[in-house]
């Protein structure tokens, strides 16, 4: 039976997904919402998403610190995820204040800008336990390479290295991928890396930061790769 998985990355205009079948490239898709990808993914064993899934009530997550520690020069690609109450505030000022009260540190505007997509993904994650899981492209690429990547994902050298790592692992991205080709190259590469981790999840070979995952209200919080 074919193993069908999807890796999804958020980008400026919505979400881009890369589907794998038995670990090989199947197709790439664009969608305005994550829900659209999930509802059209009939038969997918798992869907990996590059967005934080699960927040703790009163502290930062261990997953983010542990993953960042593995990334060397790419550690800045991971942001610490504030407690759940921070995301329930209506505006940045209130969220920043709540974050300081709970953790002693403020919230970045870059993190707050992810709020709509983060809330959408977490709502789906809570409704469909076992289908969605959290991955991070740089963590996935680091696992493929066996070392941190030296070049940023928006550079020519960085994209060539990432495409080579994917191909070495059986994921050959064609030059023509249909409408999804309108998405930025680094987001497509990121979605493909998350799909690589999704295949590992489906085959029971994925690892996680932390290991074992943190548990909160019955949910397991971790970045998988």
């Amino acid at each position: 039976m074919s193993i069908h998985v999807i890796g999804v990355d958020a980008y400026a205009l919505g979400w881009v997904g890369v589907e794998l079948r038995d670990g090989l490239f199947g197709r790439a898709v664009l969608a305005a919402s994550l829900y659209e990808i999930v509802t059209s993914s009939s038969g997918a064993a798992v869907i990996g998403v590059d967005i934080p899934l699960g927040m703790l009530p009163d502290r930062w997550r261990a997953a983010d610190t542990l993953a960042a520690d593995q990334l060397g020069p790419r550690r800045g690609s991971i942001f610490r995820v504030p407690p759940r109450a921070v995301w329930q505030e209506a505006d940045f000022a209130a969220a920043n204040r709540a974050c300081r009260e709970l953790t002693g540190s403020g919230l970045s505007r870059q993190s707050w800008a992810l709020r709509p997509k983060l809330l959408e993904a977490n709502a789906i994650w809570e409704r469909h336990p076992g289908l969605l899981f959290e991955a991070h492209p740089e963590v996935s690429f680091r696992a493929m390479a066996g070392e941190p990547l030296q070049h940023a994902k928006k550079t020519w050298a960085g994209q060539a290295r990432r495409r080579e790592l994917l191909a070495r692992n059986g994921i050959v991205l064609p030059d023509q991928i249909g409408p999804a080709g309108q998405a930025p190259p680094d987001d497509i590469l990121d979605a493909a890396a998350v799909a690589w981790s999704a295949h590992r999840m489906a085959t029971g070979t994925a690892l996680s930061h932390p290991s074992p995952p943190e548990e909160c209200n019955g949910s397991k919080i971790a970045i998988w790769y």
Side-chain angles (χ1 to χ4, degrees):
M1 182 177 177
S2 176
I3 299 175
H4 172 206
V5 301
I6 306 174
V8 185
D9 184 57
Y11 81 113
L13 300 180
W15 304 80
V16 58
V18 168
E19 295 188 5
L20 302 183
R21 292 187 180 271
D22 293 330
L24 305 178
F25 177 83
R27 65 171 184 147
V29 296
L30 285 183
S33 70
L34 180 59
Y35 181 76
E36 183 180 336
I37 291 180
V38 170
T39 55
S40 64
S41 64
S42 177
V46 289
I47 299 174
V49 292
D50 176 21
I51 203 82
L53 296 177
M55 292 80 74
L56 298 173
D58 56 1
R59 65 188 188 278
W60 305 105
R61 309 187 318 166
D64 309 308
T65 302
L66 291 170
D69 287 345
Q70 297 296 311
L71 295 186
R74 305 276 71 80
R75 64 176 296 118
S77 65
I78 289 184
F79 72 90
R80 293 191 300 171
V81 178
R84 179 176 294 273
V86 174
W87 301 102
Q88 295 170 344
E89 297 292 347
D91 58 54
F92 174 74
N96 190 36
R97 187 164 54 249
C99 194
R100 288 190 180 282
E101 290 171 354
L102 287 166
T103 70
S105 300
L107 174 70
S108 72
R109 287 191 177 275
Q110 183 181 10
S111 299
W112 182 247
L114 288 175
R115 180 176 179 268
K117 288 186 169 72
L118 182 145
L119 294 179
E120 179 191 2
N122 276 267
I124 296 171
W125 181 57
E126 291 165 6
R127 278 201 305 272
H128 301 279
L131 178 60
L132 265 62
F133 74 95
E134 178 183 350
H136 191 286
E138 291 301 321
V139 174
S140 299
F141 281 124
R142 192 238 183 272
M144 291 182 213
E147 62 183 6
L149 274 63
Q150 296 304 305
H151 301 289
K153 65 181 184 178
K154 292 186 182 295
T155 65
W156 177 272
Q159 291 187 6
R161 174 65 168 147
R162 286 160 177 78
R163 199 163 180 177
E164 179 230 333
L165 287 169
L166 290 166
R168 187 194 301 173
N169 283 275
I171 305 172
V172 178
L173 297 174
D175 292 335
Q176 301 299 324
I177 57 173
Q182 302 170 67
D186 57 302
D187 290 308
I188 295 169
L189 292 168
D190 282 353
V194 173
W196 175 80
S197 291
H199 183 75
R200 284 161 61 93
M201 283 291 283
T203 56
T205 58
L207 304 174
S208 69
H209 297 304
S211 180
E214 285 184 286
E215 295 211 23
C216 180
N217 298 325
S219 296
K220 295 183 177 182
I221 300 173
I223 294 173
W224 295 87
Y225 62 97

